[in-house]
Amino acid sequence: MKSFDSSDDESNDCVVAHLDLSLVHQKAFPSFWNQVKFDTFPCNYFVIGFVSGSIEKLYVQGDGGGGLLNIIPLLRSDQVQYCGFRISRSRLNSETDSENIVSLKPYFILLRWIGQHTSPLQVKDLDKDLEFIKGYFQNATIIITINENEFHNSEQSSRKDSIMEKVLSIVKKFNVNNINVSEAVSKIG
């Protein structure tokens, strides 16, 4: 019986299968978003961004049970990133009874972050990319775009404060247009 040794067989071509992790991550995006949308899961947010050097392949850069304060450190100055997170809301059942808090339907936010040092290739088709990304973030209540350049010359005390202020102002404006503000209290974080 003859045994085969790869060194003996010159026609033996080694085939190595490569798994494109960005494709695996893209298949997982709807699952992450569903976890954010259902409060039975501990995941309140997830962040996706482009694979380094790519303008098409995305991957999950972070997820967890926190909120916007946990997302901010993940936002990079050299990327366009997309974040999905939940804002829990509640209101007082009556103005005199501060113990009687009623939960309201949460807001689901799609946040597009545009870093100030993002490559021209990543910012080339922002509108087209956002339309594509919306497919992963179905039923987002509010879509927010933050361009880091907005804060570059800002008098704000910090990047974190600037981002929080922008998100809160947009959510409050949405809140005012959709429910009575005196009844609603939004909680981010």
Side-chain angles (χ1 to χ4, degrees), residues 41-54:
F41 292 100
C43 184
N44 292 340
Y45 75 90
F46 80 107
V47 178
I48 59 177
F50 289 97
V51 171
S52 186
S54 175

Side-chain angles (χ1 to χ4, degrees), residues 20-31:
D20 187 344
L21 289 179
S22 65
L23 295 177
V24 173
H25 280 258
Q26 286 177 342
K27 296 291 185 190
F29 295 162
S31 175

Side-chain angles (χ1 to χ4, degrees), residues 1-2 17 21-22 36 111 114 123 149 154-155 157 162 174:
M1 182 173 220
K2 184 175 180 182
L21 289 179
S22 65
V36 167
L111 171 68
I114 304 168
V123 296
N149 289 328
S154 175
E155 298 291 323
S157 59
S162 298
F174 182 85

Side-chain angles (χ1 to χ4, degrees), residues 125-149:
D125 294 316
L126 285 174
D127 292 335
K128 187 175 94 176
D129 291 345
L130 181 61
E131 287 305 311
F132 174 76
I133 291 295
K134 284 180 185 178
Y136 290 126
F137 294 89
Q138 292 182 359
N139 302 321
T141 312
I142 304 170
I143 298 171
I144 301 171
T145 296
I146 298 180
N147 190 324
E148 188 176 22
N149 289 328

Side-chain angles (χ1 to χ4, degrees), residues 8-130:
D8 293 341
D9 187 5
E10 294 174 26
S11 67
N12 183 15
D13 290 326
C14 183
V15 177
V16 178
H18 292 280
L19 178 61
D20 187 344
L21 289 179
S22 65
L23 295 177
V24 173
H25 280 258
Q26 286 177 342
K27 296 291 185 190
F29 295 162
S31 175
F32 277 101
W33 183 237
N34 283 332
Q35 287 182 43
V36 167
K37 288 172 42 180
F38 298 110
D39 61 2
T40 55
F41 292 100
C43 184
N44 292 340
Y45 75 90
F46 80 107
V47 178
I48 59 177
F50 289 97
V51 171
S52 186
S54 175
I55 58 169
E56 294 177 353
K57 295 180 180 179
L58 296 163
Y59 72 105
V60 176
Q61 296 177 329
D63 68 294
L68 184 56
L69 288 174
N70 299 91
I71 291 171
I72 292 171
L74 299 173
L75 300 176
R76 296 177 41 178
S77 289
D78 64 342
Q79 283 204 355
V80 173
Q81 294 168 288
Y82 300 90
C83 316
F85 60 98
R86 175 176 60 227
I87 296 178
S88 301
R89 302 181 317 123
S90 60
R91 68 173 169 83
L92 298 176
N93 200 16
S94 71
E95 290 184 28
T96 59
D97 186 7
S98 63
E99 300 291 320
N100 198 358
I101 297 175
V102 176
S103 292
L104 299 173
K105 186 177 176 182
Y107 289 153
F108 302 107
I109 311 298
L110 166 56
L111 171 68
R112 175 175 61 177
W113 169 260
I114 304 168
Q116 66 183 356
H117 302 294
T118 303
S119 76
L121 286 176
Q122 278 191 14
V123 296
K124 180 181 170 192
D125 294 316
L126 285 174
D127 292 335
K128 187 175 94 176
D129 291 345
L130 181 61

